Amino acid sequence: DTGVSQDPRHKITKRGQNVTFRCDPISEHNRLYWYRQTLGQGPEFLTYFQNEAQLEKSRLLSDRFSAERPKGSFSTLEIQRTEQGDSAMYLCASSLATGNTIYFGEGSWLTVV
Amino acid sequence: DAKTTQPTSMDCAEGRAANLPCNHSTISGNEYVYWYRQIHSQGPQYIIHGLKNNETNEMASLIITEDRKSSTLILPHATLRDTAVYYCIVTDSWGKLQFGAGTQVVVTP
């Protein structure tokens, strides 16, 4: 499968714990995006990278959230001190460059209990 | 706020064409119209996009009005697997997508 890959697909964690999600974009896609989606809502933009540079962060990305793309390939999204409000599906997407179609992964579901 | 307006829901009979409308009256000249769909619990799936001209691919057709203030996504022969939320998105070329609530399409036998 050459699509966007996300891991883990499901994560249940206790409030206050840290969690990390990994995203492997489509090969050679230099842009990588993170979105968040809560039940009944459309996806919301969080941040994006061009190669290893993080070029924009949404105000939704609080200080407890950090995203990295150290070598311009895979990316990680870490949430520290999780809260119940962080429960959502975290979507990763990638594209070749500006003006090109964005392709999404299957998402990583987070449940904070 | 999303730049598009879509009906909340619509039903379609299996085998018939599904015509999904979208209003984007404030679209600017360099903005594209994108359509994605999301089947329950899966990531959004790209369907089609266009700027001015009508477009067709193996999944659907996109009809954009001449003034570009509205568009229609056409699924020519709806199947049960087309049941999903369909999102119409207007975006400039750099590609950040702002999703609205979309249209819940239910295809019935």
Side-chain angles (χ1 to χ4, degrees), chain A residues 61-110:
Chain A
L61 213 64
S62 75
D63 292 343
R64 296 184 297 105
F65 288 69
S66 63
E68 294 182 347
R69 195 182 184 198
K71 297 182 180 180
S73 56
F74 73 92
S75 174
T76 58
L77 177 68
E78 181 183 19
I79 308 173
Q80 296 182 328
R81 304 181 303 282
T82 53
E83 302 173 355
Q84 287 188 321
D86 297 331
S87 294
M89 180 165 65
Y90 291 85
L91 290 158
C92 179
S94 70
S95 69
L96 272 172
T98 182
N100 280 277
T101 301
I102 296 173
Y103 295 93
F104 285 82
E106 291 303 320
S108 292
W109 285 95
L110 173 65

Side-chain angles (χ1 to χ4, degrees), chain A residues 31 33 97-100, chain B residues 30-32 34 91-96:
Chain A
R31 285 204 168 201
Y33 310 80
T98 182
N100 280 277
Chain B
N30 63 341
E31 289 183 316
Y32 289 76
Y34 277 79
T91 186
D92 61 22
S93 61
W94 81 262
K96 177 180 173 180

Side-chain angles (χ1 to χ4, degrees), chain A residues 9 31 33 35 37 41-45 48 56 89 91 97-107 109, chain B residues 32 34 36 38-47 49 87 92-102:
Chain A
R9 293 293 315 282
R31 285 204 168 201
Y33 310 80
Y35 285 74
Q37 185 174 24
Q41 304 296 317
E44 298 172 292
F45 170 80
Y48 90 95
E56 185 171 340
M89 180 165 65
L91 290 158
T98 182
N100 280 277
T101 301
I102 296 173
Y103 295 93
F104 285 82
E106 291 303 320
W109 285 95
Chain B
Y32 289 76
Y34 277 79
Y36 281 78
Q38 191 170 25
I39 297 169
H40 183 61
S41 298
Q42 298 182 18
Q45 178 188 23
Y46 167 77
I47 301 174
H49 75 281
Y87 296 100
D92 61 22
S93 61
W94 81 262
K96 177 180 173 180
L97 302 176
Q98 187 174 9
F99 288 81

Side-chain angles (χ1 to χ4, degrees), chain B residues 7-86:
Chain B
T8 303
S9 64
M10 60 185 297
D11 294 338
C12 178
E14 187 178 20
R16 305 294 295 270
N19 296 299
L20 282 62
C22 179
N23 288 325
H24 31 80
S25 58
T26 61
I27 192 170
S28 49
N30 63 341
E31 289 183 316
Y32 289 76
V33 180
Y34 277 79
W35 283 84
Y36 281 78
R37 73 180 184 183
Q38 191 170 25
I39 297 169
H40 183 61
S41 298
Q42 298 182 18
Q45 178 188 23
Y46 167 77
I47 301 174
I48 198 168
H49 75 281
L51 183 62
K52 296 181 181 179
N53 299 322
N54 298 337
E55 303 288 344
T56 295
N57 62 21
E58 65 278 5
M59 289 184 67
S61 295
L62 174 61
I63 309 298
I64 303 174
T65 58
E66 191 170 347
D67 63 9
R68 304 210 319 127
K69 292 184 176 182
S70 65
S71 61
T72 301
L73 179 74
I74 301 172
L75 307 178
H77 305 287
T79 71
L80 299 179
R81 287 175 294 182
D82 292 323
T83 292
V85 178
Y86 286 76

